[in-house]
Amino acid sequence: NVFRGPGYFSVDAGFIKRIGLPAFFGENAGLDIRANAFNLFNNLNLQPFGYNSASTQINNAIFGRAIAALAGRVVEFQARFNF
């Protein structure tokens, strides 16, 4: 890639908690609660330059400037019943 964007930095993490359920639901029954976090520290990552975009044309007023950013922090929650 000839046109490199700014340095990309992201930390992803997942957290899980398993809660056991009574034997009524089954021998190994349990409830898993999970949270996945992407870009945990909410670091601003600028979008890389595209080929022949306005940011890469030297006669354009916005030459060399990133005009967009990538997604910020994203958190997913999930619950799973195991029986």
Side-chain angles (χ1 to χ4, degrees):
N1 187 1
V2 176
F3 301 107
R4 298 203 184 270
Y8 179 84
F9 176 76
S10 179
V11 175
D12 301 337
F15 305 99
I16 188 166
K17 173 67 177 172
R18 179 168 173 81
I19 302 168
L21 296 176
F24 171 76
F25 293 106
E27 209 172 288
N28 292 324
L31 182 67
D32 293 342
I33 298 178
R34 182 179 188 110
N36 295 320
F38 304 98
N39 195 4
L40 183 64
F41 300 120
N42 203 22
N43 189 31
L44 175 64
N45 290 309
L46 300 175
Q47 186 175 18
F49 300 140
Y51 177 74
N52 202 20
S53 66
S55 297
T56 60
Q57 297 171 355
I58 196 163
N59 58 353
N60 199 316
I62 62 167
F63 174 73
R65 294 185 187 168
I67 56 174
L70 301 176
R73 181 184 306 130
V74 176
V75 180
E76 298 177 341
F77 294 102
Q78 180 183 36
R80 183 178 188 179
F81 175 65
N82 296 318
F83 58 93

